[in-house]
Amino acid sequence: MTQFVVHVGKVNLKYDHSPVLASLILKDAGAIPPDEFVLEELQHPNGPPEHEFQPGDEVAIGPHEKFFRAVPSGGGRA
Amino acid sequence: MTLDEGAFKESFRAGMEALKTRHCPDAKVVAVDGNFAYIDLGDGTLPAIYAERNARVFARVPLDFPNAEPYGVVTAPYLHRADTAPIERHHSSHPHSKPIETALGLTDIGFWSWDWQRMPRKTPEDLSHIYEWAWKRIRQG
């Protein structure tokens, strides 16, 4: 069975289908509750973001590994 | 310098383990000041908005997390925007950055006033989110 690999920070995940809900990727990466995060797709590991997915968005994955980070929606200047 | 994390509360140790597993395998506590620990999140590449290319990032976290909220990010060196614009709530010689100075002998450091508003704080493992929480502030410039 084909497995698509995605990396979220240091967490490596595999899925056998595409697209995948961003909320599922966030949850699998430990970003819980997922609706308090956005999923940023990176150009390369630790690279600049090239796309931002909201939890309800579908994320197309494929045979090439993809790199993401789960960015919390919260945080504020004090 | 690394402190003995075995002396910390079980909940804090669980949070550190989650942080190491999910984001930052080399994360470690390098200083403690009162109820706050300073966690070394390692060295990272900065976005192009900065004159500097890399920074070492620290998060200031209460030892009784999740019962209290993290507050403050420290960077070494003190960062400057490439366009020379001032950075809001970014301080040099701030009292909250002194423990890093003392513990690591670093002097060129900056303290960023940044709090934990609307961040997950239900379980000890929510401490793992400190990594992206800190870097989010740095990326804002």
Side-chain angles (χ1 to χ4, degrees):
Chain A
M1 179 183 294
T2 302
Q3 292 201 308
F4 306 133
V5 178
V6 303
H7 306 273
V8 185
K10 300 294 183 190
V11 179
N12 305 320
L13 304 170
K14 293 180 179 176
Y15 297 96
D16 59 9
H17 62 281
S18 176
V20 179
L21 266 179
S23 60
L24 177 60
I25 296 174
L26 288 164
K27 186 177 176 183
D28 290 344
I32 300 170
D35 59 0
E36 293 184 4
F37 293 82
V38 296
L39 186 67
E40 288 186 355
E41 182 175 355
L42 309 177
Q43 292 178 9
H44 52 79
N46 301 315
E50 62 179 2
H51 194 79
E52 178 180 300
F53 296 96
Q54 298 299 316
D57 293 341
E58 291 188 327
V59 182
I61 57 178
H64 298 292
E65 294 175 286
K66 289 200 169 189
F67 300 89
F68 299 90
R69 64 181 167 222
V71 180
S73 305
R77 297 179 191 210
Chain B
M1 178 182 175
T2 304
L3 300 181
D4 177 16
E5 293 177 12
F8 300 144
K9 289 183 180 178
E10 184 177 348
S11 58
F12 187 84
R13 295 200 310 270
M16 286 297 295
E17 279 307 307
L19 170 63
K20 293 174 185 178
T21 300
R22 296 174 184 169
H23 293 291
C24 192
D26 298 325
K28 55 183 176 291
V29 175
V30 293
V32 172
D33 181 41
N35 186 43
F36 281 90
Y38 289 78
I39 301 174
D40 186 350
L41 300 174
D43 196 74
T45 304
L46 296 168
I49 56 172
Y50 291 103
E52 297 81 5
R53 298 190 62 178
N54 290 72
R56 190 171 170 185
V57 176
F58 305 84
R60 184 172 176 267
V61 181
L63 289 166
D64 56 350
F65 182 90
N67 296 322
E69 295 184 338
Y71 169 67
V73 173
V74 177
T75 57
Y78 182 91
L79 301 184
H80 305 81
R81 286 183 57 109
D83 62 5
T84 71
I87 300 173
E88 192 179 359
R89 295 177 174 82
H90 176 217
H91 315 283
S92 61
S93 303
H94 193 284
H96 289 336
S97 62
K98 289 291 181 189
I100 297 290
E101 289 185 29
T102 302
L104 302 180
L106 300 172
T107 53
D108 182 22
I109 59 182
F111 180 81
W112 308 63
S113 298
W114 182 236
D115 67 24
W116 196 252
Q117 292 174 30
R118 294 174 286 105
M119 288 289 294
R121 191 163 60 89
K122 295 183 178 67
T123 70
E125 289 76 13
D126 283 337
L127 182 61
S128 67
H129 304 309
I130 198 90
Y131 182 85
E132 288 298 347
W133 171 83
W135 272 100
K136 180 177 183 177
R137 176 64 189 96
I138 306 302
R139 286 193 291 265
Q140 286 183 352

